[in-house]
Amino acid sequence: AAACIAIAFFVFKWNESKKPEPEALQQLATQYESRSQLILPDGTKVWLNAGSRLDYPKQFTGALREVTLEGEAYFDVTANKHQPFWVHTKAFTVKVIGTAFNIRAYADEDSAAASLIRGAVEVELNADKKNPVLLRPNEKLA
């Protein structure tokens, strides 16, 4: 019995040591009088407007590429049909595979907007997740 307990303890500790560490997020924030440009680990290009913040992982792992935006940013997303790109904001989540779009969702503003330049995106409102809105080029959801 003692041998079984020792083996079980060893197997538990070995499996525990193989678990990946939680993904640490990085952050890019712009001052109110400036703008910033960033290339994410997957090659996606992001232009942050003044007073904006983007949280993103060091590497995109798993089934999704997810970032969180507060403020305004233009995204030119690298296409990857096996790993969709999601942008979370205070008001909605934008789901894309590869496209170019702009999001405006400042924390101190009552409204938020998504404007599609090319491709297609699905916008899932945080208040109504069951009825996503599909945007086509030159369409805007505000």
Side-chain angles (χ1 to χ4, degrees), residues 124-125 128-132:
E124 182 180 272
L125 301 174
D128 188 11
K129 294 180 185 264
K130 294 182 180 182
N131 295 309

Side-chain angles (χ1 to χ4, degrees), residues 90-93 95 122-134 141:
K90 67 174 185 168
F92 52 76
T93 297
K95 302 175 183 181
E122 182 179 283
V123 181
E124 182 180 272
L125 301 174
N126 292 346
D128 188 11
K129 294 180 185 264
K130 294 182 180 182
N131 295 309
V133 177
L134 182 65
L141 177 69

Side-chain angles (χ1 to χ4, degrees), residues 71-84:
E72 184 174 8
Y74 175 82
F75 293 84
D76 191 351
V77 178
T78 300
N80 182 344
K81 65 182 179 181
H82 302 294
Q83 195 178 30

Side-chain angles (χ1 to χ4, degrees), residues 97-117:
I97 294 175
T99 189
F101 58 96
N102 192 77
I103 294 177
R104 182 181 176 102
Y106 284 99
D108 60 348
E109 293 180 356
D110 292 334
S111 64
S115 305
L116 183 63
I117 309 305

Side-chain angles (χ1 to χ4, degrees), residues 1-11:
C4 288
I5 291 172
I7 290 172
F9 179 76
F10 173 75
V11 169

Side-chain angles (χ1 to χ4, degrees), residues 21-120:
E21 291 294 317
E23 191 68 44
L25 290 180
Q26 297 189 32
Q27 186 178 91
L28 176 62
T30 58
Q31 300 299 319
Y32 280 98
E33 60 278 351
S34 66
R35 294 182 178 146
S36 299
Q37 182 180 358
L38 171 70
I39 298 177
L40 296 175
D42 67 341
T44 293
K45 296 176 184 150
V46 182
W47 289 264
L48 278 181
N49 205 355
S52 300
R53 186 180 77 223
L54 183 73
D55 295 323
Y56 61 96
K58 231 178 199 182
Q59 290 294 323
F60 291 111
T61 58
L64 301 174
R65 297 174 287 167
E66 295 182 273
V67 300
T68 301
L69 172 69
E70 182 180 303
E72 184 174 8
Y74 175 82
F75 293 84
D76 191 351
V77 178
T78 300
N80 182 344
K81 65 182 179 181
H82 302 294
Q83 195 178 30
F85 191 90
W86 290 20
V87 180
H88 300 282
T89 73
K90 67 174 185 168
F92 52 76
T93 297
V94 175
K95 302 175 183 181
V96 301
I97 294 175
T99 189
F101 58 96
N102 192 77
I103 294 177
R104 182 181 176 102
Y106 284 99
D108 60 348
E109 293 180 356
D110 292 334
S111 64
S115 305
L116 183 63
I117 309 305
R118 76 169 182 277

